[in-house]
Amino acid sequence: MANSNSPTKIVKRNENFAEWYTSVILAAKLASYASVKGCINYLPKGWAIWEHIKDAIDSAFKKTGVLNVQLPLFIKTSDFTKEKDHIAGFAPESFLVEHIGEKKVEDTLIIRPTSEVLFSQVFKDEIHSYNDLPLKYNQWCSVYRAEKTTKPFLRGSEIIWQELHAMFASEDEAVKYTLQIHELYNDFLKDVLCLPFLSGKKTEGEKFAGAVTTYTREVWSQDCQTIQTGTSHYLGTNFSKMYDVQFQNKNNKLELPYYMSAGMTTRTIGDIIMVHADDNGLVLPFKVAPTQIAILLLFCEQDKNIIKAGQDLAKKLDAFRTYIDTTNNSFGYKINEQEVSGTPFSIIIGPKDLANNSCMVYRRDLKTKSTIKLTELVETITKMHSEYDKNLYNKALEHLNSSIVEVSTFEEFVKAINDKKIVLAPWGGTVEDEAKLKEQTSGVTPRCVFKEGKINKNCFFTKKPAKQLVYFARSY
């Protein structure tokens, strides 16, 4: 869809979900298309949402001892190719720099698709003794991957994210911290973004290239596809060994430190749209909304007392992010603008409201209007914003829970997938079987493991004894 300075009409979800998604982004002025495929311009409203997401994650990380750093954009190919599984996973989509001007680069540079190699090199210089461990570094940056199919926020050639990398003296510490970050992401999605999800370990065929174990969250969109959001990886000692990272233990012997990494991207903005938005525009979780409360003043050019009342209200609501609209636009224009932008609450004040010492409050999630006394407004908003977030979460949770179907046979599996369901099924297949299933079902993949161990069932696909109960679905 082309960019335009004129207002963008929002497509109906039931007419074309993909176009609806894009139209919401453009109408709300979150982003616009850049000239390079898979890249977007983050406009102020879109970037503000990311800043609030970033602040929440960054604060949570720092409570666990994480320090922020910034590493280079380029990796030498000779360095990148040392870890074979890693290069196999990322080589097909890596951007290469082979010339600087007209001069050919002797050791071709890779524009980082991820930064395990770069962090391993830093850790080699930083880690010498067990006293240097654990070491937990994070960077907020962009990485680049040549994606075949792109969609704003969800999948692009430029990925804006955080990537956390940490090394530990023992495997137990590394595994525990991987799980700790996994739970931190879980809490963030639920408590800040009001998003329910499937949560668990990735299967062998779906885990991160070079990882021992990968943990994920899978958000369920309104068009019934999952969105992988935030992953944490236990990497063992593969990278330590390949990049010669060692430390002297308490017995003065050299050991390899144990490595984990984790990342969450601006895909979270796509999640918010896919899960919460409607045919009128965005519906933003309260904690990340650029404007949490819009104060819409009517006929304020004729009555300056209305402007003063709005300013007084803003002072009383200074604990929240507020915006005062003093323009001469119509009420319909003002409320539509806030509705498209996903502002959780709009407070409307006109001459009649002011005369009655009251205002009207419009709630974006329920699309309801209620008259509130000005003296009771702060208390009411404080109560309502908690109810607002709970309502967003519970509505999405109901959709997720009602979409899960448990099956035992391949025939049941195919029917459930065609009915746009998440399938929970016994699994006993290999990486090769995952590939066969994906081919036979036009792209369905295992999303995460629900349970493993003693299943007492046969795999629905291979008929062999099942080792896991796994969620399957179509995904972005």
Side-chain angles (χ1 to χ4, degrees), residues 291-296 321-323 338 343 345-348:
T291 298
Q292 295 171 316
I293 302 168
I295 301 172
L296 311 183
R321 293 186 290 276
T322 59
Y323 161 73
Q338 298 308 317
T343 303
F345 297 99
S346 293
I347 299 171
I348 301 103

Side-chain angles (χ1 to χ4, degrees), residues 29-30 63 79 274:
K29 297 181 180 179
L30 299 184
K63 290 176 183 177
D79 291 332
M274 286 280 192

Side-chain angles (χ1 to χ4, degrees), residues 78-347:
S78 58
D79 291 332
F80 194 75
T81 54
K82 288 181 180 179
E83 216 292 338
K84 293 182 180 179
D85 289 340
H86 193 62
I87 186 64
F90 286 105
E93 55 189 30
S94 294
F95 289 95
L96 306 178
V97 177
E98 296 184 336
H99 289 83
I100 298 175
E102 295 183 357
K103 184 179 178 182
K104 186 172 178 60
V105 178
E106 289 184 11
D107 193 344
T108 300
L109 301 175
I110 292 177
I111 300 177
R112 62 182 177 212
T114 181
S115 301
E116 277 71 15
V117 174
L118 294 168
F119 275 93
S120 294
Q121 293 171 332
V122 170
F123 288 149
K124 181 181 178 180
D125 293 334
E126 296 276 302
I127 296 170
H128 305 287
S129 161
Y130 67 89
N131 290 315
D132 299 322
L133 295 168
L135 197 59
K136 304 170 185 175
Y137 284 169
N138 175 71
Q139 72 170 344
W140 296 90
C141 67
S142 294
V143 294
Y144 297 84
R145 301 172 189 173
E147 297 281 0
K148 293 179 180 178
T149 304
T150 63
K151 186 177 287 289
F153 300 123
L154 292 179
R155 188 176 293 277
S157 298
E158 180 183 28
I159 302 167
I160 296 175
W161 71 348
Q162 59 73 209
E163 48 179 326
L164 167 63
H165 298 256
M167 281 195 170
F168 299 83
S170 72
E171 181 174 37
D172 183 58
E173 287 179 285
V175 170
K176 282 184 178 179
Y177 193 67
T178 305
L179 289 168
Q180 182 180 349
I181 296 302
H182 176 63
E183 292 302 323
L184 184 153
Y185 283 159
N186 284 353
D187 292 343
F188 167 75
L189 256 64
K190 180 181 178 182
D191 299 338
V192 178
L193 302 188
C194 311
L195 293 171
F197 45 84
L198 308 174
S199 174
K201 186 172 77 171
K202 282 287 190 183
T203 59
E204 284 299 303
E206 288 290 315
K207 71 180 183 181
F208 178 73
V212 177
T213 309
T214 290
Y215 297 92
T216 184
R217 274 136 302 285
E218 303 288 326
V219 172
W220 187 235
S221 71
Q222 293 181 65
D223 71 331
C224 301
Q225 296 190 70
T226 62
I227 310 167
Q228 179 180 293
T229 303
T231 49
S232 50
H233 320 284
Y234 169 56
L235 302 169
T237 58
N238 292 340
F239 287 91
S240 301
K241 185 176 181 180
M242 292 298 171
Y243 297 96
D244 195 28
V245 187
Q246 299 183 77
F247 72 97
Q248 196 171 44
N249 65 22
K250 292 180 180 180
N251 297 318
N252 294 322
K253 292 183 178 181
L254 289 177
E255 283 189 38
L256 297 172
Y258 295 84
Y259 193 1
M260 67 76 64
S261 67
M264 186 170 280
T265 78
T266 50
R267 181 174 285 186
T268 48
I269 300 175
D271 290 333
I272 291 169
I273 300 167
M274 286 280 192
V275 174
H276 297 314
D278 60 23
D279 289 342
N280 293 335
L282 292 175
V283 181
L284 293 176
F286 192 81
K287 293 183 179 70
V288 298
T291 298
Q292 295 171 316
I293 302 168
I295 301 172
L296 311 183
L297 306 182
L298 308 182
F299 305 105
C300 54
E301 287 192 350
Q302 295 90 329
D303 189 345
K304 301 303 179 184
N305 290 326
I306 293 176
I307 294 179
K308 185 179 184 305
Q311 292 170 339
D312 290 343
L313 267 185
K315 289 178 182 177
K316 292 178 181 178
L317 295 167
D318 64 356
F320 307 108
R321 293 186 290 276
T322 59
Y323 161 73
I324 305 176
D325 187 340
T326 60
T327 66
N328 198 34
N329 292 321
S330 68
F331 168 71
Y333 182 93
K334 290 185 177 188
I335 197 68
N336 180 69
E337 185 177 43
Q338 298 308 317
E339 193 166 45
V340 170
S341 298
T343 303
F345 297 99
S346 293
I347 299 171

Side-chain angles (χ1 to χ4, degrees), residues 57-76:
I57 296 174
D58 201 59
S59 175
F61 278 172
K62 285 174 178 173
K63 290 176 183 177
T64 74
V66 173
L67 300 172
N68 282 331
V69 298
Q70 185 66 38
L71 304 188
L73 182 66
F74 301 115
I75 307 170
K76 289 182 179 180

